[in-house]
Amino acid sequence: MSTLNEATLINAGLQAELFDRDLVNRLRAQARATRMTLLDALSRELGLPRTAFYLALAQIHGLPYAQLERWELDLAAASRLPGTLIKRHPMAPMRTPEGHLVIVLSDPSDQLGIETAKRVLTGIELSLAVADPEALAPVLARFAPSDARDSAAEDPVALFDRLLRDAVLRRASDIHIESEKEAVKIRLRVDGRMQAWGSSLGKALGEGMISRIKVLSGMDIAESRAPQDGGLNHTINEQPVEMRVASAPTKFGERLTLRIMKSDPGRQTLDSLGMPSFMIERLREALAHPHGIVLVTGPTGSGKSTTLYAVLRELDANALNILTAEDPVEQVIPGISQVQVGGKIGFADALRSFLRHDPDVILVGEIRDFDTADVALKAATTGHMVLSTLHTNTAVGAITRLSDIGCERFLIGATLHGVIAQRLVRMLCPHCRDSHPATDEERSLLKVPDGEACNIAQPCGCPRCLGTGYRGRIGVFESLWLDGELAERIGNDASERELMQAAGNYWRLGDDARQKVRQNLTSLAEVRPYLRMNG
């Protein structure tokens, strides 16, 4: 069988400038000592899956990287490829959405295999594309003889281990395993966006992996017609990884969702979130008060909990008595008493209990109803600093939301220090982003003054960002800080527009979005939905 040796992939990474020779030399002895391949050592050190090396290989050969999740196997062409050819030179003929026939293979230097395929498929115009052999294996399983495939690719245990390793290296927050009529599809949520993990698996292999996960998660493997919840701990690259697992019955079988919990929560600080420095300063001023309430708002998945955890790390847990009520506890912070609500205890119940424990700071994971809001606001008037979240689109919308669920407007104005609203946008990959002078339309959207130069960046795609053009996310923020006049207006039932006009320092989401585009941190396409918010 034609295979790529490790040296070829490492050389591709060097040519693509994924790393330098010094790193290779430094890791060689370390890999030998830990009985790890040098390629795996590089992958772990760089935080990149093996796919990145095959992307580098495609790049230096001037070939595209195969989009296996979007391309279809051409069974007519596949039936013409002899089993002996597939066994010695693994490849699959696939059709792009535009109808072009592409031979997908892992070794673009395999001239013998390529020429043989071209002779067999004579009369058909075709091109080449590169794919990771592990991602290509499920495609081969759909048409190649069993002796032409890697048996490890059909092992649910090995497949699940590889899936987890890849998900962690890709910085995925969730893994979605979805049963379809004749296959099982796997997708990862990376930087807030869903992306396919290779091609679909055969039904038997996919269901085998689902059963494997259910066993590891403590679920009832015999129950497939009712939702279940579970959890598992796994070790990836010698690091423990904790996951929450949920199953749900669908028309064509079960689907599983695995939430990967953060293993290194200490990395996020207020200064690393992308919050403007003047906003951090105002937030720190608010936190210095002995009592009151600070809210973080936004839709689900906008990073509210991450911001609150960063706030908690700002506080001196040794000098303060800090208690939290969360659903669930996602990050453990030393020195803080964290309570997971649910079942017999709700947010309001936990808050009432906290008041008997002499707290200085109370964090409420979310204000969902009047009872929780009422206790939180009253705690903020009796000598406690309260931190919490709300589901509102804007910062000023938090006042309306609290009023709508029954809170007294005068109490809101008397206790609220400030509200931060936020969203998360993808950051441009710093290694491949491309800058260009803003067009007239772009200048208008960004409100660039006439005569002022403005260059903005757009995504390109490289091995470091796995071809997406983006790597990581950053917050886009809005803030409303209360003073005496604003508190009085809240008590007098002022509208949201009146409050925004009266606020002397109301930083809008669109303002922050424009700033981050002009700083080349993100693209205009990422922030476009937020540019016209609040007028």
Side-chain angles (χ1 to χ4, degrees):
M1 180 182 291
S2 175
T3 58
L4 274 175
N5 60 40
E6 182 180 74
T8 301
L9 290 172
I10 292 174
N11 186 57
L14 285 167
Q15 290 186 58
E17 298 183 347
L18 282 177
F19 46 85
D20 56 28
R21 184 70 65 181
D22 288 342
L23 180 62
V24 175
N25 294 334
R26 179 166 63 83
L27 291 180
R28 182 172 281 112
Q30 179 183 324
R32 193 180 302 116
T34 56
R35 296 183 179 179
M36 182 185 297
T37 69
L38 180 56
L39 193 64
D40 285 340
L42 283 165
S43 178
R44 188 165 101 175
E45 180 76 12
L46 298 167
L48 292 171
R50 282 203 177 201
T51 302
F53 294 86
Y54 284 92
L55 275 158
L57 189 69
Q59 178 179 296
I60 66 175
H61 280 271
L63 296 173
Y65 189 81
Q67 301 179 49
L68 298 178
E69 70 279 4
R70 297 183 60 230
W71 298 357
E72 291 291 333
L73 176 66
D74 189 319
L75 288 171
S79 65
R80 294 170 60 179
L81 297 177
T84 52
L85 173 64
I86 302 302
K87 182 175 181 179
R88 294 173 182 168
H89 312 274
M91 61 180 67
M94 304 191 77
R95 291 278 177 185
T96 68
E98 296 75 28
H100 303 306
L101 182 64
V102 182
I103 294 295
V104 180
L105 71 175
S106 301
D107 184 0
S109 63
D110 180 15
Q111 290 302 316
L112 177 59
I114 294 168
E115 292 302 323
T116 304
K118 286 181 176 179
R119 285 198 303 272
V120 172
L121 299 175
T122 184
I124 302 177
E125 185 177 347
L126 52 84
S127 56
L128 302 176
V130 177
D132 182 329
E134 291 181 330
L136 185 59
V139 180
L140 297 177
R142 293 165 58 187
F143 75 94
S146 58
D147 64 347
R149 291 180 261 132
D150 182 0
S151 60
E154 299 176 1
D155 177 6
V157 175
L159 183 64
F160 180 51
D161 287 345
R162 179 165 65 86
L163 169 60
L164 288 187
R165 185 176 67 249
D166 240 27
V168 169
L169 289 172
R170 289 172 184 257
R171 301 167 292 102
S173 60
D174 302 87
I175 302 172
H176 295 260
I177 304 173
E178 307 162 57
S179 294
E180 299 180 318
K181 187 174 182 180
E182 297 177 351
V184 172
K185 180 172 65 177
I186 299 177
R187 295 190 294 169
L188 308 177
R189 187 176 292 280
V190 179
D191 294 335
R193 301 295 180 94
M194 298 288 277
Q195 57 179 233
W197 188 68
S199 59
S200 297
L201 303 176
K203 196 74 168 175
L205 178 58
E207 290 180 344
M209 188 169 68
I210 288 174
S211 295
R212 165 73 174 167
I213 296 170
K214 290 178 68 176
V215 169
L216 292 175
S217 304
M219 296 181 179
D220 182 355
I221 193 172
E223 178 59 77
S224 60
R225 292 179 293 179
Q228 297 185 64
D229 293 311
L232 65 89
N233 293 287
H234 211 74
T235 300
I236 302 295
N237 292 333
E238 299 180 355
Q239 296 295 322
V241 178
E242 181 183 353
M243 283 160 280
R244 294 203 313 268
V245 184
S247 73
T250 68
K251 181 176 181 179
F252 298 117
E254 285 185 285
R255 69 159 289 156
L256 297 181
T257 300
L258 289 74
R259 165 61 58 90
I260 302 174
M261 312 301 285
K262 298 290 185 183
S263 59
D264 54 347
R267 68 185 179 185
Q268 293 286 8
T269 64
L270 282 180
D271 295 312
S272 70
L273 300 178
M275 191 179 291
S277 57
F278 67 86
M279 195 181 296
I280 295 176
E281 184 179 341
R282 289 302 303 268
L283 177 56
R284 286 173 174 153
E285 289 175 7
L287 294 174
H289 284 79
H291 55 81
I293 186 166
V294 174
L295 296 174
V296 181
T297 76
T300 300
S302 59
K304 301 185 298 296
S305 296
T306 300
T307 297
L308 284 181
Y309 278 124
V311 168
L312 289 179
R313 293 188 194 95
E314 286 276 314
L315 304 175
D316 186 349
N318 293 319
L320 298 171
N321 183 22
I322 305 173
L323 295 91
T324 76
E326 306 173 55
D327 181 22
V329 175
E330 294 187 12
Q331 299 177 16
V332 176
I333 301 180
I336 295 177
S337 297
Q338 297 173 263
V339 175
Q340 181 155 319
V341 302
K344 295 183 179 180
I345 182 171
F347 282 117
D349 300 319
L351 272 176
R352 293 188 186 95
S353 173
F354 286 175
L355 296 179
R356 296 190 287 273
H357 290 270
D358 185 33
D360 296 300
V361 179
I362 298 172
L363 182 145
V364 190
E366 181 184 344
I367 293 178
R368 299 174 178 170
D369 50 42
F370 170 73
D371 282 347
T372 307
D374 187 53
V375 179
L377 290 176
K378 288 176 179 175
T381 66
T382 56
H384 308 93
M385 172 56 66
V386 179
L387 310 170
S388 191
T389 72
L390 272 176
H391 282 106
T392 65
N393 289 328
T394 63
V396 73
I399 296 164
T400 304
R401 172 65 177 150
L402 289 173
S403 179
D404 287 345
I405 62 177
C407 296
E408 306 253 11
R409 297 270 298 201
F410 80 88
L411 189 58
I412 299 171
T415 57
L416 190 61
H417 284 306
V419 186
I420 294 173
Q422 67 179 78
R423 302 292 190 278
L424 291 175
V425 296
R426 292 182 296 173
M427 295 180 69
L428 287 164
C429 174
H431 304 283
C432 64
R433 64 188 177 194
D434 181 46
S435 182
H436 67 274
T439 65
D440 290 343
E441 180 196 6
E442 291 167 340
R443 291 175 65 91
S444 175
L445 286 169
L446 295 173
K447 297 184 177 180
V448 181
D450 291 341
E452 184 176 316
C454 177
N455 289 323
I456 63 174
Q458 61 188 13
C460 290
C462 69
R464 286 182 182 270
C465 61
L466 303 183
T468 64
Y470 296 94
R471 184 170 174 84
R473 289 193 289 176
I474 193 170
V476 176
F477 298 91
E478 173 175 294
S479 64
L480 174 71
W481 304 102
L482 273 67
D483 54 22
E485 180 187 348
L486 209 58
E488 184 177 347
R489 286 177 179 268
I490 291 171
N492 291 331
D493 291 336
S495 68
E496 288 188 14
R497 181 167 292 277
E498 290 171 335
L499 291 174
M500 282 191 287
Q501 290 172 345
N505 42 25
Y506 188 53
W507 179 252
R508 303 181 183 215
L509 208 65
D511 298 330
D512 200 36
R514 291 182 182 92
Q515 188 174 82
K516 286 182 167 63
V517 171
R518 297 200 62 181
Q519 293 171 337
N520 286 346
L521 293 173
T522 189
S523 67
L524 187 57
E526 279 290 294
V527 304
R528 196 178 282 263
Y530 313 125
L531 296 184
R532 293 188 174 90
M533 290 187 67
N534 306 327

